[in-house]
C-alpha cells in the first residue's frame, strides 16, 4: 500500500507502522525480515508525528484561455508537430461553464485520414457532475462523472495506450475511470495515434483544422495543457497536478508562443494555487540495513507494530469475548458488511458509502436496543475498528452524496452510545490499547471532513447532533462532546500534575479535585479542504458547581496514533474572562479544547449576595475614607505635638485614604484600558504603602518594648524607607517583569490568574505575621504590668476583680491595636468559607 493507506491499515488494527530500529539492531532486524521473505523497501513511521498529505500550496502564474460562450468561431490551435503516439497522456487545469448542459469539446486532434483521431468531450449531467468521454480512432468511451460542475478549477488527465486500447481518466489526482478495448476490433493489431495531425483546443473538427459547430464547442477556461507520448503513472500525475512539469517524453508544453489564438478568444494571465509537491516518506532497506526515502504514493510492503502491553490486552479481550454484540450485528447485516470477530487478522473489503451506511445503521440499532447496556472489551474494540474504517472511507465524486448526512447521523449516534457513563469500566479495561476516549474526537474529526460535498451555495452549513454529541461544518469544522460524554474518563488524564502547584498555593482553600467542567469541543479551519492554522476565541459554560479557578486547556496527542492517548496542556491558550458560570479562552491555534476547573469545598454566592457585598464595600470604604480625612485634618489643625507616633499615624492615614478613594473609583475605570491600568498600579502602590506603614506601626511598638540602640532620627529614616521605598520597589519590579499580565480581565486590580497577585499577597502575609507576633508580645507585657499594678494598688481585692482587671488589660490593647496593625485583614483568608466572614471582613476594615 502507499504510506497513508499503510498507516491507516495499522491504525485500524490498534497498531502503528514500524518505527526505525536502533543502529545496533538494524542488521539482526534485516535478517529477521529476510527470513520471512521480505525484500526491498519497507515503510517506516514518522517519529515527529503523523505525516499528513501535503497542505502547503504554491503560487502558479500561467496564461489562461477564456472561451466565454459557445460559438463556432472561437478556437486555439497548437503549433506543434505531433509524432505517432503509441501511448499518450494529456493533462490540463479546467474551469467548466455551468450555464449549459450541452456537449462540449475540450480538445480534438485530427489527421487527414481520420478527423476523430483523438478527442476529449464532456457535458454536465442532471445531478451536477461533469462527465467525460474519450475518443480514439473514432471509438467512443462511455460518458463517466469526473468532477462536480461547481465553477471551480479542476485538474484532469486522460491516458491511452496502443496495447489493448487501455485508457484512464483522472480528476483532481484521483482515477475516476479506466478500461480497455478503446481500439479497432478484429485481427489487425491496434494502431498508434497517427502523426502530423492538427490539435485544436475548444472545438470539434469536422474537417482538418476547421468546420466547427457551435453546439459542440467548449465554454469555460483552460490552462496548463501538456501532452506526453507515454502513459504517466499516478505519482507523475500527482506531480503534474502540483504544477511540476514531467520533462521526459513531453510532446507539448503549455506556452503562449506555441499557440495560435483566434482573435475572439481572450487570453489572460492568472495566478492560482497548486497543491504542494508529492512528499517523500522514510523507508527501511532490507538487506542493506540502511534508510532512504521513497514517494509516499508508491506501493510498498509494511509491518504493523504493537506495544507489548497493548497486544496482550487485545489478546485477553479476544479470548474473554462472548462476541454477543458482533453476532447480533452480523445476523442483522444481511446486505451490508459484517463486523469481523478478530481485530488482528480481519479486513473489511470494498468499504464505500453504501456499505458504511448499512453497517452503522445496523450497529446503531443493536446498541440502541441492547438489553445489557455495558459493552464488553472486545465489543468496544470491534465498534471502534468499524468507526475507524468508516472515517477512512474515500468519498468518490460520483457516489450518491445524499448518503453522507444519514451516515454522519449514525456515526454520531454510535459515538454517543459507546461514550455512555455505563461504559467507563470498559474503557478502562482497554486503556493500554486506547488510552482514553479522546481517540473518538480524532475519528469524528476525520468523519466530519466527508461532509464537505454537502456544502453548496444554497446550503452553507451542515449540523448533525444526537443528544450530547454533534458535528457542525461550514468552512470551519466544529465538534462538541457534551458534559457527560467524555468528562468522567478524561478528568484525571494528565491534569493533576498541571494543577498541583496551583492547589498547593491557594491560601487555605480545601482542594478537592480537578475535573473537566465543560463540554469538549474541537475546531478546525479549512481552506480548499486543507487545514490551516489560526487563532480562536471561545466561551464554554460550566457544568460543575463550587468552582473557584478555571483554566483553558487543549488536548494534544502524545504519539503518532490517537489510540496512544494524550494529555491536557495550556500551551498557547489563556483565559480571557472567567465568570462563575462560564470561561472565555483565547488560543493561538485550533485543536481540541475544554475548560478544566479546580474544585474547592465552597458555596457559590448568588447575584443578590454579590450585589449586597459590593454595596457594603462601597459604603464601608466611604465611611472609612471620611473618618480618615477628618482624623488627618485634626492631626494638622489641633496641633498635636510632633513625635514618631504622630508621624507614623499621619503617613498610615494618608496611604489608606488614598487606597480607599481609588478603590471606590476603580469600578468606573473599567471601561478605559489605560485608566484601569493606571488605577491598578496606584491601588497596588497605596495598599502596599498602607501595609508597610502598618508594619512600621508594629516596629514602633516593638521599639517601646525592647531596647533598640538607634537614635530617633535614624529610626524615622528607616521608617520612611520601609513605608514608602519598599512599596515603590515592589510595584516597579512587578511592572517591569509582568507588564502584559499585570491587570485582571474584568476588574481594575492585579491579575489573579497569574503569579502577579503574589506581588501583593506575599508581602501582606509577611507583614501580618510580623504584626501578629508584635501584638502577642505587647499583650504579654500589658497583662504583666496590669497584674503588678493591681497587686500594688489593691492587694486585698477579690479573685473575681483581679480576673476582670486582667481580661480588660488583655482586651484593651487587642481592640486598639488590631486595626492599627492591619490584623483585621486576616478575616480575608476566611472569606471563602462563608458569606458571613465576607460581611465581617467588610465591617472590620471599614472601622480601620
Amino acid at each position: 500500500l502507499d504510506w497513508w493507506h499503510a498507516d491507516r491499515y495499522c491504525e485500524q488494527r490498534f497498531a502503528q507502522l514500524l518505527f526505525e530500529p536502533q543502529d545496533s539492531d538494524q542488521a539482526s532486524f534485516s535478517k529477521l525480515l529476510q527470513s520471512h521473505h521480505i525484500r526491498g523497501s519497507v515503510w517506516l513511521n514518522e517519529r515527529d508525528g503523523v505525516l499528513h498529505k501535503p497542505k502547503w500550496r504554491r503560487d502558479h502564474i500561467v496564461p489562461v484561455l477564456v472561451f466565454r460562450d459557445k460559438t463556432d468561431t472561437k478556437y486555439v490551435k497548437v503549433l506543434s508537430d505531433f509524432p505517432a503516439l503509441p501511448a499518450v497522456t494529456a493533462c490540463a487545469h479546467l474551469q467548466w461553464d455551468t450555464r449549459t448542459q450541452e456537449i462540449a469539446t475540450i480538445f480534438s486532434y485530427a489527421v487527414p485520414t481520420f478527423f476523430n483521431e483523438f478527442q476529449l468531450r464532456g457535458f454536465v449531467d442532471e445531478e451536477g457532475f461533469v462527465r467525460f468521454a474519450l475518443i480514439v480512432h473514432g471509438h467512443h468511451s462511455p460518458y463517466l462523472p469526473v468532477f462536480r460542475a461547481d465553477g471551480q478549477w479542476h485538474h484532469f488527465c486522460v491516458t491511452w495506450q496502443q496495447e489493448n486500447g487501455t485508457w484512464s481518466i483522472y480528476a483532481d489526482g484521483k482515477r475516476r475511470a479506466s478500461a480497455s478495448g478503446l481500439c479497432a476490433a478484429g485481427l489487425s493489431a491496434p494502431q498508434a495515434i497517427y502523426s502530423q495531425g492538427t490539435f485544436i483546443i475548444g472545438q470539434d473538427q469536422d474537417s482538418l483544422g476547421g468546420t466547427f459547430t457551435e453546439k459542440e464547442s467548449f465554454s469555460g477556461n483552460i490552462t496548463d495543457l501538456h501532452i506526453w507520448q507515454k502513459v504517466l503513472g499516478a505519482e507523475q500525475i500527482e506531480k503534474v497536478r502540483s504544477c511540476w512539469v514531467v520533462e521526459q517524453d513531453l510532446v507539448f508544453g503549455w506556452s503562449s508562443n506555441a499557440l495560435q489564438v483566434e482573435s475572439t478568444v481572450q487570453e489572460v494571465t492568472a495566478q492560482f494555487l497548486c497543491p504542494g509537491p508529492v512528499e517523500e516518506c522514510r523507508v527501511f532497506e532490507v538487506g542493506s540495513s540502511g534508510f532512504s526515502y521513497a514517494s509516499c504514493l508508491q506501493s510498498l510492503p509494511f509491518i504493523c507494530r504493537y506495544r507489548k502491553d497493548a497486544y496482550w490486552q487485545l489478546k485477553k479481550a479476544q479470548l474473554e469475548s462472548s462476541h454477543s454484540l458482533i453476532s447480533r450485528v452480523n445476523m442483522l447485516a444481511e446486505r451490508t458488511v459484517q463486523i469481523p470477530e478478530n481485530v488482528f487478522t480481519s479486513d473489511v473489503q470494498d468499504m464505500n458509502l453504501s456499505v458504511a451506511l448499512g453497517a452503522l445503521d445496523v450497529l446503531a440499532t443493536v446498541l440502541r436496543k441492547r438489553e445489557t447496556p455495558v459493552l464488553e472489551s472486545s465489543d468496544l474494540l470491534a465498534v471502534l475498528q468499524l468507526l475507524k474504517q468508516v472515517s477512512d472511507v474515500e468519498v468518490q465524486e460520483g457516489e450518491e452524496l445524499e448518503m453522507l448526512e444519514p451516515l454522519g447521523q449514525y456515526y454520531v449516534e454510535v459515538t454517543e452510545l459507546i461514550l455512555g457513563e455505563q461504559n467507563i469500566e470498559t474503557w478502562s479495561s482497554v486503556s493500554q490499547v486506547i488510552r482514553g476516549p479522546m481517540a473518538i474526537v480524532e475519528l469524528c474529526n476525520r468523519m466530519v471532513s466527508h461532509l464537505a460535498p454537502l456544502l453548496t451555495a444554497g446550503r452553507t452549513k451542515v449540523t448533525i447532533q444526537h443528544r450530547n454529541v454533534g458535528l457542525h461544518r461550514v468552512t470551519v469544522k466544529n465538534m462538541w462532546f457534551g458534559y457527560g460524554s467524555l468528562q468522567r474518563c478524561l478528568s484525571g488524564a494528565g491534569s493533576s500534575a498541571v494543577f498541583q502547584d496551583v492547589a498547593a498555593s491557594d491560601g487555605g482553600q480545601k482542594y478537592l479535585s480537578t475535573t473537566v467542567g465543560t463540554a469538549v469541543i474541537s475546531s478546525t479551519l479549512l481552506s480548499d479542504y486543507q487545514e490551516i492554522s489560526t487563532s480562536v476565541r471561545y466561551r464554554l459554560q460550566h457544568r460543575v458547581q463550587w468552582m473557584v479557578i478555571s483554566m483553558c486547556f487543549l488536548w494534544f496527542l502524545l504519539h503518532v496514533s490517537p489510540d496512544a492517548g494524550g494529555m491536557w496542556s495550556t500551551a498557547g491558550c489563556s483565559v480571557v474572562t472567567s465568570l462563575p458560570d462560564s470561561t472565555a479562552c483565547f488560543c493561538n491555534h485550533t485543536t481540541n479544547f475544554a475548560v478544566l476547573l479546580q474544585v474547592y469545598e465552597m458555596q457559590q454566592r448568588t447575584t443578590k449576595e454579590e450585589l449586597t457585598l459590593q454595596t457594603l464595600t462601597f459604603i464601608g470604604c466611604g465611611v472609612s475614607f471620611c473618618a480618615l480625612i477628618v482624623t488627618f485634618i485634626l492631626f494638622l489643625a489641633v496641633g498635636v505635638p510632633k513625635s514618631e507616633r504622630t508621624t507614623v499615624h499621619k503617613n498610615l492615614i494618608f496611604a489608606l485614604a488614598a487606597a480607599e478613594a481609588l478603590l471606590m473609583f476603580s469600578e468606573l475605570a473599567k471601561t478605559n484600558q489605560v485608566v484601569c491600568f493606571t488605577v491598578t498600579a496606584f491601588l497596588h502602590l497605596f495598599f502596599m504603602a498602607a501595609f508597610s506603614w502598618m508594619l512600621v506601626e508594629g516596629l514602633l511598638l516593638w521599639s517601646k518594648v525592647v531596647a533598640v540602640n538607634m537614635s530617633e532620627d535614624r529610626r524615622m529614616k528607616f521608617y520612611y524607607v520601609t513605608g514608602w521605598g519598599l512599596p515603590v520597589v515592589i510595584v516597579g519590579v512587578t511592572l517591569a517583569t509582568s507588564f502584559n499580565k499585570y491587570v485582571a480581565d474584568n476588574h481594575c486590580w492585579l491579575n489573579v490568574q497569574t503569579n502577579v497577585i503574589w506581588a501583593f499577597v506575599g508581602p501582606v502575609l509577611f507583614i501580618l505575621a510580623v504584626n501578629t507576633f508584635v501584638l502577642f508580645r505587647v499583650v504579654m507585657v500589658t497583662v504583666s504590668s496590669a497584674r503588678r499594678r493591681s497587686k500594688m494598688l489593691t492587694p486585698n481585692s477579690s479573685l473575681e476583680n483581679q480576673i476582670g482587671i486582667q481580661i480588660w488589660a488583655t482586651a484593651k490593647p487587642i481592640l486598639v491595636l488590631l486595626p492599627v496593625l492591619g490584623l483585621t485583614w486576616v478575616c480575608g483568608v476566611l472569606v471563602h468559607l462563608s458569606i458571613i466572614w465576607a460581611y465581617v471582613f467588610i465591617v472590620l476594615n471599614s472601622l480601620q
Side-chain angles (χ1 to χ4, degrees), residues 594-831:
V595 174
L596 266 61
L597 300 168
Q598 197 170 2
V599 184
Y600 287 81
E601 196 176 44
M602 71 174 277
Q603 185 176 2
Q604 283 189 343
R605 298 169 188 153
T606 63
T607 305
K608 184 178 180 180
E609 289 172 339
E610 288 288 346
L611 182 61
T612 303
L613 287 173
Q614 287 180 5
T615 305
L616 286 175
T617 300
F618 188 84
I619 295 171
C621 284
V623 171
S624 179
F625 177 77
C626 293
L628 289 167
I629 293 298
V630 170
T631 307
F632 190 81
I633 293 172
L634 288 174
F635 266 113
L636 297 176
V638 173
V640 178
K642 186 176 181 181
S643 65
E644 284 182 320
R645 180 175 298 175
T646 57
T647 302
V648 172
H649 283 346
K650 284 189 283 186
N651 279 278
L652 173 58
I653 290 169
F654 176 79
L656 201 55
E660 291 187 346
L662 283 171
L663 184 61
M664 290 187 291
F665 175 75
S666 64
E667 282 297 307
L668 301 176
K670 286 196 301 185
T671 55
N672 189 303
Q673 189 174 0
V674 176
V675 175
C676 186
F677 188 96
T678 306
V679 168
T680 301
F682 277 104
L683 267 175
H684 189 193
L685 175 65
F686 284 117
F687 268 119
M688 202 69 256
F691 276 96
S692 297
W693 282 106
M694 292 175 202
L695 175 63
V696 171
E697 291 276 10
L699 296 176
L700 182 62
L701 280 171
W702 183 263
S703 69
K704 305 301 180 182
V705 176
V706 181
V708 179
N709 295 323
M710 185 183 291
S711 65
E712 183 174 329
D713 184 58
R714 289 178 62 191
R715 274 205 308 267
M716 283 309 303
K717 289 180 180 178
F718 174 73
Y719 292 160
Y720 274 110
V721 170
T722 303
W724 291 110
L726 186 62
V728 169
V729 171
I730 291 173
V731 174
V733 171
T734 307
L735 285 172
T737 56
S738 305
F739 188 84
N740 294 326
K741 299 181 290 184
Y742 188 73
V743 183
D745 294 315
N746 49 356
H747 297 291
C748 295
W749 181 236
L750 301 179
N751 193 343
V752 297
Q753 301 291 342
T754 62
N755 291 326
V756 170
I757 190 63
W758 288 102
F760 177 74
V761 174
V764 166
L765 291 176
F766 171 78
I767 292 168
L768 293 179
V770 171
N771 284 355
T772 301
F773 180 72
V774 170
L775 179 63
F776 177 75
R777 287 300 306 271
V778 169
V779 170
M780 287 180 61
V781 171
T782 305
V783 171
S784 178
S785 299
R787 188 184 301 118
R788 288 196 302 268
R789 189 181 302 108
S790 175
K791 288 181 179 180
M792 290 174 59
L793 298 176
T794 56
N796 299 321
S797 62
S798 65
L799 180 62
E800 291 82 0
N801 190 35
Q802 289 182 11
I803 292 174
I805 292 171
Q806 289 184 23
I807 291 174
W808 174 244
T810 303
K812 182 179 178 181
I814 291 176
L815 292 173
V816 171
L817 295 177
L818 270 177
V820 175
L821 298 178
L823 296 180
T824 54
W825 284 75
V826 174
C827 295
V829 179
L830 307 175
V831 164

Side-chain angles (χ1 to χ4, degrees), residues 4 47-48 64 188 216 246 262 372 398 413 472-473 582 829 837 846:
W4 289 286
R47 287 196 176 275
D48 295 334
V64 176
S188 60
E216 295 180 324
V246 177
E262 192 267 333
T372 306
E413 182 177 357
H472 180 70
R473 174 70 192 265
S582 65
V829 179
W837 283 109
S846 298

Side-chain angles (χ1 to χ4, degrees), residues 30-135:
S30 182
K31 290 180 181 178
L32 176 64
L33 294 182
Q34 290 181 62
S35 67
H36 287 78
H37 309 290
I38 299 175
R39 300 285 188 274
S41 302
V42 176
W43 287 129
L44 288 177
N45 213 328
E46 298 292 323
R47 287 196 176 275
D48 295 334
V50 177
L51 178 68
H52 295 285
K53 292 188 178 180
K55 293 179 182 174
W56 64 274
R57 302 160 83 87
R58 66 187 185 92
D59 292 335
H60 188 54
I61 301 175
V62 287
V64 176
L65 299 178
V66 179
F67 294 83
R68 195 170 298 279
D69 297 297
K70 293 173 73 71
T71 68
D72 59 0
T73 57
K74 289 181 171 39
Y75 75 95
V76 175
K77 182 179 180 181
V78 174
L79 303 176
S80 180
D81 294 325
F82 286 83
L85 301 173
V88 65
T89 299
C91 298
H93 282 89
L94 193 70
Q95 200 172 25
W96 197 272
D97 186 355
T98 58
R99 294 174 297 174
T100 176
Q101 292 186 328
E102 292 181 329
I103 290 176
T105 304
I106 296 133
F107 63 76
S108 62
Y109 176 75
V111 294
T113 57
F114 220 123
F115 299 148
N116 292 330
E117 180 68 359
F118 178 46
Q119 187 178 128
L120 181 66
R121 300 156 68 90
F123 73 96
V124 179
D125 65 16
E126 294 179 352
E127 296 177 358
F129 284 91
V130 175
R131 292 175 173 263
F132 276 0
L134 188 63
I135 300 175

Side-chain angles (χ1 to χ4, degrees), residues 7-8 11 16 50 388 433-443 446 555 557-566:
D7 178 62
R8 290 294 167 85
E11 189 196 316
Q16 298 173 21
V50 177
K388 286 170 179 277
V433 181
I434 299 181
R435 293 182 177 172
M438 281 299 287
I440 290 290
V441 178
E442 173 63 20
L443 294 179
R446 295 179 191 170
W555 178 274
L557 301 176
L558 292 176
H559 304 289
V560 295
S561 169
D563 298 341

